Amino acid sequence: MADSVLIERPTEGVGLIRINRPEARNALNMEVRKLIAKHLTEMGEDDAIRCIVLTGNDKSFAAGADIKEMAGAGTIEMLARGTHKLWRTIAACPKPVIAAVNGFALGGGCELAMTCDIIVAGESAKFGQPEVKIGIIPGGGGTQRLPRAVGKYKAMRYVLTGDLFSAKEAFDMGLVSELVPDAEVEKRAVEMAKQIAELSPLAIQQAKEAVLRGMDAALDTGLALETKAIQILFSSQDQKEGMAAFIEKRKPKFSGR
Ligand code: CO8
């Protein structure tokens, strides 16, 4: 049987993680979630990888948690599975992660995309948090990340009805970073990842951390965090190289030091 999660290196500096359960619309069973967490952790520690693309196939990014795997589970079984720890590991990746979304991003699939930093979606992708239709609620961060991304009233509209929404609507609401023709989703995500991979990994890591931690804090705390982060970067060779290259009118060569 084929691996349920594949890893690739589409171009220098970029790692790609591909969910590969087409027979189940890429539903996130425990194996898939553990593998995504494992690969993100490993890529997060690999100096040769500076940006990561997470994708599915042309029909589905991920159609949610695997309903068949959890239908009979009780509270203690769900507790023992510890999926919240896997979500935390995924969210803790220090490098930028770009979700390349074609087809369905539903339930845990939508939550997985929202755990990424940038979402590139194909025009016919479909998003949604349909959990209420099967008697539960989003459990991978959807009740928190969706309102933070699109505001309370749009989030409530979809979390409380379970209705799906189009990629265009997701884009208009601010959930999708870039909307592209279906056939170009992966290409565009890899291209953007390559662009990020060519920048200073130190600056990129500090920028990601400042945005994410700042979103969780009061404005003043977030601003203080940003100030510290930019000050730290002035100890880096990359800052000296980046500014020297600008002044000397050449392309910078960032070392991550
Ligand atoms: N889980 C398990 N199997 C699935 C899932 C899923 N989420 N989605 C699709 N499949 C399977 C189908 O059962 C079917 O299998 P089979 O061929 O054996 O019958 C196969 O994939 C193909 O599916 P369809 O025939 O339904 O394909 P369609 O193209 O007609 O429809 C849809 C695709 C719209 C994606 C449809 O399959 C669907 O509605 N799927 C369920 C979507 C959903 O409700 N997702 C939310 C799941 S709950 C969740 O994510 C909560 C996460 C929080 C957990 C936290 C735990 C602490």
Side-chain angles (χ1 to χ4, degrees):
M1 219 169 87
D3 291 343
S4 58
V5 178
L6 308 170
I7 54 169
E8 297 162 31
R9 293 287 299 274
T11 186
E12 202 185 334
V14 178
L16 184 143
I17 300 174
R18 189 186 301 283
I19 306 167
N20 184 41
R21 286 190 79 207
E23 73 287 356
R25 298 285 182 269
N26 281 346
L28 305 167
N29 61 9
M30 284 307 292
E31 179 183 88
V32 168
R33 281 190 263 200
K34 282 182 185 161
L35 283 169
I36 293 172
K38 172 180 175 285
H39 293 314
L40 275 177
T41 303
E42 285 173 5
M43 288 184 183
E45 289 167 357
D46 182 346
D47 285 346
I49 291 178
R50 294 184 174 185
C51 191
I52 299 158
V53 173
L54 177 59
T55 194
N57 57 41
D58 57 347
K59 282 208 173 64
S60 189
F61 175 73
D66 191 313
I67 298 170
K68 293 167 189 165
E69 194 183 58
M70 64 187 171
T75 306
I76 302 304
E77 164 71 25
M78 290 305 281
L79 184 67
R81 288 184 189 183
T83 50
H84 60 288
K85 290 188 220 146
L86 296 172
W87 285 110
R88 276 189 188 280
T89 306
I90 292 168
C93 181
K95 294 174 185 172
V97 185
I98 302 177
V101 177
N102 265 324
F104 297 107
L106 307 183
C110 187
E111 291 168 312
L112 184 61
M114 287 191 289
T115 309
C116 299
D117 304 304
I118 293 172
I119 302 178
V120 175
E123 282 160 350
S124 43
K126 286 254 185 273
F127 293 80
Q129 297 289 165
E131 288 89 343
V132 286
K133 291 186 176 170
I134 54 168
I136 57 168
I137 64 166
T143 63
Q144 305 306 306
R145 287 203 175 91
L146 191 60
R148 279 167 171 77
V150 306
K152 170 183 165 186
Y153 297 97
K154 283 286 185 185
M156 285 292 198
R157 190 249 174 274
Y158 290 111
V159 170
L160 297 182
T161 62
D163 284 350
L164 307 193
F165 49 96
S166 69
K168 167 81 169 67
E169 182 147 22
F171 178 74
D172 290 343
M173 289 193 288
L175 183 66
V176 160
S177 322
E178 222 174 281
L179 192 59
V180 299
D182 292 346
E184 285 172 30
V185 170
E186 193 174 314
K187 186 170 142 270
R188 177 63 190 130
V190 169
E191 185 180 84
M192 207 187 293
K194 185 172 188 312
Q195 185 185 349
I196 294 170
E198 285 170 359
L199 302 172
S200 163
L202 296 173
I204 293 300
Q205 192 175 334
Q206 291 297 319
K208 171 167 173 167
E209 196 177 325
V211 171
L212 290 182
R213 295 231 183 258
M215 281 175 75
D216 229 13
L219 177 62
D220 218 38
T221 311
L223 290 172
L225 214 122
E226 181 193 78
T227 302
K228 295 289 171 211
I230 189 173
Q231 286 165 350
I232 287 170
L233 289 170
F234 275 79
S235 297
S236 71
Q237 290 171 19
D238 281 356
Q239 174 265 325
K240 299 288 174 285
E241 165 65 8
M243 293 192 182
F246 173 79
I247 293 164
E248 293 159 18
K249 299 188 189 300
R250 61 174 173 82
K251 203 171 180 265
K253 233 181 130 30
F254 292 116
S255 63
R257 299 196 174 272

